Amino acid sequence: MTQQTVTRYSRVAIFFHWLTVILVILAFILGPGGSEERIYAAANDTQRHIHETLGMTIFILMFLRLAWRWMDKQPVLPPLPPLMVLGARLVQYVLYLLLFVTPLTAITGAWLQGHAVDLVFGINIGPWIGPSHHLGSTIAEVHGVLGDTIIWLAGFHALAAIFHHVMRKEDILVSMLPQVFVAWLKPRE
């Protein structure tokens, strides 16, 4: 029995990918940012609750994504220079790591500052660790830097996919697009 080569990601993998993209962009846009006083000001409660809910959703989604990735077949990459393969894998692994670590820094920073993680519908989580305000503030700053890094790295990742599609005429981008977009983005010969 021969093993079939997979040329596209599965529908579930594509769904997880694009749901993550949407949630990350929304979380970034809705992040209250700024000083602790600004973030936890009553006027920003709704925005913060939505941001924290999106962050927790991303965190949980990443476990589901990783579990699915271990079970699912991955498409075979076209022949690429070794440096491109290394770069692609490195960016992918760093993005996965950041999508786990960034919510953890938000949770840890909030708890160390003495704040619960407040989700929509009045769900509050923690704080489950003792306060260390200075350390919490530092971790909260790291959270902001990591969030910015996700956006920049994901943007680079998207540009690389477009480069492969437009310049190298490869189906890497197409392999992760929902089927509805594939027909009009197929590379021209």
Side-chain angles (χ1 to χ4, degrees), residues 14-34:
I14 291 169
F15 173 76
F16 282 154
H17 176 84
W18 291 104
L19 180 60
T20 304
V21 169
I22 291 165
L23 294 175
V24 165
I25 290 170
L26 287 173
F28 183 79
I29 291 169
L30 295 173

Side-chain angles (χ1 to χ4, degrees), residues 10 12-13 16 59-74 96 100:
S10 68
V12 173
F16 282 154
F59 185 64
I60 293 165
L61 179 62
M62 290 311 298
F63 284 101
L64 296 173
R65 252 187 106 166
L66 202 53
W68 182 257
R69 184 176 171 83
W70 281 329
M71 296 184 307
D72 199 22
K73 289 185 178 188
Q74 306 298 305
Y96 269 93
F100 277 108

